[in-house]
Amino acid sequence: MSDKIKVASPLVILHGDEMAQVAFEKILDKFVTAPLDIDLVEIDLTAENRLVTNGQAVKDAIDALNRFGVGVKNAGMTVNRAQLDELLAKHPELDPSTLHPLATKSPNGAIRKGIGGNITREDIQFRNLQMERPEWIGRDIEVDTMDEGGIKDSANALSDATGVVKLMFVGASGDPVELHRREVNKGDPWLLATNDLEAVEAWAHRFFQRAIDEQRDIYLGLKDTVIAGYDGVMRAAIEAIYRDHYQAKAESLGLAYHYELIDAQAARIVANPPERALWGVPDNNTGRKLYKLVEQLKRYGIPSRKAQVSISRMSAGGGDQYGSFNAPAEEDGLLKVVVDGEEKHARRVRKGDPILLMSNDHEAIKDWVLQVFRDASRKDKEVYFGLKREYMEYDEVFSTVITDVRHELAKADTPPPSFMIMRPSSQLIKMITDPPRNALYPAQNLDGDIFSDISAALGGSLATASSIIESKNGTMLFEAPHGTAHDLYLKYLESDGKEAHFNSSALIFAVANALETLAEREANPALADYATRLKAALIDTVGDGIITGDLKGKTNDPAGETVVDMHGFLDAVEARLSA
């Protein structure tokens, strides 16, 4: 008779890419299939399989999660243009013109929308991690962003009818062409943003010339993988200018150039600031937040973190850049937003100008706010919302929903937790510079992505944070907030598997969270005990000073640390679990 713990409910497993996948497979072998009698519903969400199945793998993942209710997702690659070309060359049978967006884009947004889930990220409570605070006071870093265009100068409003938002384009032919349509309900917000490509190029010239004049290392951050038709268009134009006009001069002066996705770059710079840099964030909506944060950090520095930081991301409605229509204009012409047959806005664009249209769902916003209040009440957290209400009707709807939910809860004798509404820039500054509170910081999707990466980096690393996606119907998806660790994977391949460096803490914690949820739902005390012991074994391993290289020097007893590779860490967790 098997001594494995019997689990009645299946667990959905969404596989990913690169070094994260190497670790994930070993975690499943050691901590799931070896000790448990459990059915795993496994789906290959690697970048290659998403491509060859033309996105069907993403649909299968959504179906499985909605059917079985609990899953664990590993990190997967979001391919850039060069990586996509490599995969297409490997699979000549594929016709790029027939590919579904799910085949090439990040699956994360589609999965969250498909299960109606919002994200909460927070620190794993390692008791001995003590991040060495970076020295920020007086640091010579300047943030440069565009003054005009983008979301700052968007057309945004609430739909006054239930119907369809259509984005129309009138070009040289004079005939209106429908670029995109989406359904909206009365009260749903919509927003149209564009950028003048010539203005982006002019900004790029000023930005690179300033870096050379002031002899600063150059950093550029955008979200080109997820918003390829908007941020990707800007990146291509900016980097072409750098290559053609400034790269040789910058290199002759010994100046470094770094491009990175803005969430990862913000985390890296805030946690490990360069000596002297010009940080270009052309998206002014994000750029002004980071400008204000950097100015605050240069003046006051980063205090020690004394409490857990939790961030909730509103993602189920797909209501910001991540769920947008985004593409460059194919020719000069006129853009029109038509809501239920009535023209609401028109503006001129020129060929190549990036276009972004997004909307949100009033009911999804309400579900998110209720989830935020439930989580805060359950864990006795204060809530700090970040909204841009002074010129954004798009954000004003969130404020209205918060008030409505507050009244509904009061009528039901369920008072909401203490909460405050502030600007997103103030929310970010508070989270980083005034953290000694047990607080929850709700943010829209892109802000939440950036803010949570910064917070995780200051807490130790992205591998020391947890990520939980929860839907209204109770579907739960647990994941690690880090990526696939491409650089570590290259070393792993080059060494024929001998160099296996990866912090698997967040993946282990995600697995333990999923098992804990299954235990609660099927009233399985043996499984509940196992999940609790798995978390304790992880926390005790790090507590004993056994750490991977990314945490070296970040415990409260650096002299007592034992740095191990991925295999050594997993073995150490397994030993404590067995004991």
Side-chain angles (χ1 to χ4, degrees):
M1 182 176 177
S2 173
D3 59 356
K4 292 185 176 184
I5 298 170
K6 176 65 178 175
V7 184
S9 308
L11 177 63
V12 178
I13 298 294
L14 307 182
H15 292 288
D17 288 290
E18 300 190 319
M19 203 64 212
Q21 183 60 23
V22 175
F24 195 42
E25 289 172 2
K26 295 186 179 301
I27 289 167
L28 293 174
D29 288 343
K30 279 183 180 289
F31 303 121
V32 179
T33 57
L36 306 176
D37 181 1
I38 185 172
D39 290 331
L40 300 182
V41 180
E42 301 185 71
I43 295 170
D44 181 355
L45 271 188
T46 59
E48 184 169 2
N49 196 52
R50 300 196 312 267
L51 183 70
V52 299
T53 63
N54 201 17
Q56 184 60 43
V58 180
K59 297 176 185 177
D60 291 345
I62 294 167
D63 290 343
L65 289 168
N66 283 324
R67 180 180 176 189
F68 297 109
V70 181
V72 182
K73 181 184 175 298
N74 195 13
M77 289 172 56
T78 301
V79 294
N80 57 30
R81 185 69 247 180
Q83 291 166 329
L84 176 59
D85 288 343
E86 288 178 11
L87 287 174
L88 289 172
K90 185 178 177 181
H91 294 279
E93 74 278 6
L94 297 177
D95 179 358
S97 67
T98 64
L99 290 176
H100 192 280
L102 291 177
T104 57
K105 294 184 180 297
S106 166
N108 297 338
I111 290 172
R112 291 168 198 150
K113 189 171 184 179
I115 66 174
N118 295 303
I119 310 169
T120 301
R121 287 187 177 177
E122 56 191 23
D123 307 328
I124 301 172
Q125 293 301 286
F126 292 111
R127 56 182 176 272
N128 64 321
L129 290 187
Q130 183 172 290
M131 176 67 177
E132 183 178 345
R133 285 176 289 153
E135 182 51 61
W136 260 100
I137 295 178
R139 184 72 66 169
D140 193 4
I141 297 173
E142 298 289 334
V143 177
D144 198 323
T145 190
M146 293 184 65
D147 292 329
E148 306 298 333
I151 288 178
K152 179 175 180 289
D153 292 322
S154 68
N156 61 91
L158 304 183
S159 174
D160 53 14
T162 293
V164 174
V165 171
K166 292 193 289 187
L167 183 64
M168 308 298 295
F169 179 77
V170 182
S173 70
D175 296 324
V177 176
E178 183 179 306
L179 298 181
H180 181 71
R181 67 164 56 200
R182 56 178 60 193
E183 295 180 358
V184 292
N185 294 310
K186 185 176 182 179
D188 289 354
W190 60 265
L191 179 151
L192 173 68
T194 59
N195 261 313
D196 184 327
L197 196 59
E198 289 186 3
V200 173
E201 292 169 339
W203 174 85
H205 281 290
R206 292 193 301 271
F207 170 67
F208 291 124
Q209 189 60 55
R210 179 185 174 188
I212 287 170
D213 291 344
E214 299 177 9
Q215 295 196 26
R216 296 177 181 273
D217 286 336
I218 304 164
Y219 290 78
L220 177 69
L222 285 158
K223 196 70 176 177
D224 64 296
T225 53
V226 176
I227 323 171
Y230 194 76
D231 279 28
V233 171
M234 290 192 282
R235 178 190 176 184
I238 292 166
E239 291 195 320
I241 285 171
Y242 176 67
R243 288 191 303 270
D244 294 345
H245 300 280
Y246 299 97
Q247 184 173 359
K249 180 64 174 175
E251 290 176 351
S252 71
L253 293 171
L255 303 179
Y257 171 77
H258 306 275
Y259 176 81
E260 201 168 5
L261 293 177
I262 187 59
D263 44 346
Q265 188 174 70
R268 194 181 306 277
I269 288 177
V270 173
N272 188 23
E275 288 297 325
R276 180 174 170 81
L278 186 63
W279 187 7
V281 187
D283 168 40
N284 52 37
N285 190 45
T286 298
R288 286 179 298 157
K289 298 182 187 83
L290 294 175
Y291 170 82
K292 291 176 182 178
L293 175 65
V294 166
E295 293 302 303
Q296 187 86 355
L297 296 180
K298 290 193 296 185
R299 188 172 180 183
Y300 299 110
I302 296 178
S304 59
R305 176 174 288 189
K306 299 177 182 178
Q308 185 185 58
V309 172
S310 302
I311 299 168
S312 179
R313 287 168 57 189
M314 197 276 161
S315 59
D320 65 2
Q321 293 93 319
Y322 283 32
S324 68
F325 164 80
N326 54 91
E330 294 187 359
E331 59 174 315
D332 294 1
L334 188 68
L335 278 179
K336 296 182 178 183
V337 179
V338 178
V339 182
D340 200 33
E342 183 178 347
E343 183 179 313
K344 297 294 184 181
H345 178 75
R347 62 172 61 186
R348 293 201 171 275
V349 290
R350 286 179 284 195
K351 183 178 180 179
D353 286 355
I355 300 164
L356 181 145
L357 176 73
M358 63 191 198
S359 65
N360 213 324
D361 183 303
H362 185 281
E363 287 303 309
I365 296 170
K366 184 176 179 179
D367 291 342
W368 175 58
V369 172
L370 281 166
Q371 181 180 315
V372 165
F373 283 159
R374 282 197 309 271
D375 185 39
S377 296
R378 191 165 57 238
K379 299 178 182 177
D380 195 27
K381 297 175 182 176
E382 297 177 339
V383 180
Y384 296 90
F385 286 96
L387 299 174
K388 197 75 174 175
R389 296 180 295 173
E390 63 268 37
Y391 63 80
M392 292 280 289
E393 286 188 62
Y394 191 93
D395 277 18
E396 185 64 42
V397 69
F398 287 81
S399 179
T400 302
V401 170
I402 291 166
T403 301
D404 292 344
V405 168
R406 178 188 176 193
H407 290 156
E408 285 183 21
L409 292 174
K411 287 180 181 178
D413 294 323
T414 309
S418 173
F419 73 94
M420 180 181 295
I421 299 175
M422 53 181 61
R423 293 180 179 181
S425 56
S426 300
Q427 181 192 42
L428 174 60
I429 288 169
K430 181 169 186 59
M431 184 184 78
I432 302 304
T433 65
D434 184 22
R437 299 174 183 269
N438 187 28
L440 178 62
Y441 299 90
Q444 294 181 55
N445 206 356
L446 180 56
D447 279 355
D449 207 354
I450 296 168
F451 295 3
S452 60
D453 277 15
I454 294 173
S455 176
L458 292 175
S461 82
L462 286 171
T464 62
S466 69
S467 184
I468 301 170
I469 302 172
E470 179 181 356
S471 74
K472 182 181 179 181
N473 67 7
T475 298
M476 303 287 287
L477 178 61
F478 301 92
E479 61 180 357
H482 56 65
T484 61
H486 178 69
D487 53 340
L488 299 179
Y489 186 59
L490 292 180
K491 292 179 181 178
Y492 177 80
L493 294 177
E494 289 166 2
S495 67
D496 197 25
K498 293 183 176 66
E499 285 195 48
H501 300 291
F502 183 81
N503 187 340
S504 51
S505 296
L507 278 172
I508 295 172
F509 202 79
V511 167
N513 270 332
L515 296 176
E516 187 175 62
T517 302
L518 287 179
E520 291 174 359
R521 294 187 177 185
E522 63 183 55
N524 187 332
L527 181 60
D529 175 68
Y530 175 77
T532 300
R533 289 190 294 109
L534 179 55
K535 285 186 180 181
L538 169 65
I539 291 168
D540 288 346
T541 299
V542 176
D544 290 341
I546 300 174
I547 56 171
T548 45
D550 59 314
L551 297 182
K552 184 178 180 180
K554 296 179 182 179
T555 72
N556 53 21
D557 181 21
E561 293 174 356
T562 301
V563 178
V564 295
D565 66 3
M566 180 189 76
H567 300 298
F569 187 77
L570 292 175
D571 288 345
V573 174
E574 184 180 34
R576 280 156 184 76
L577 179 62
S578 299

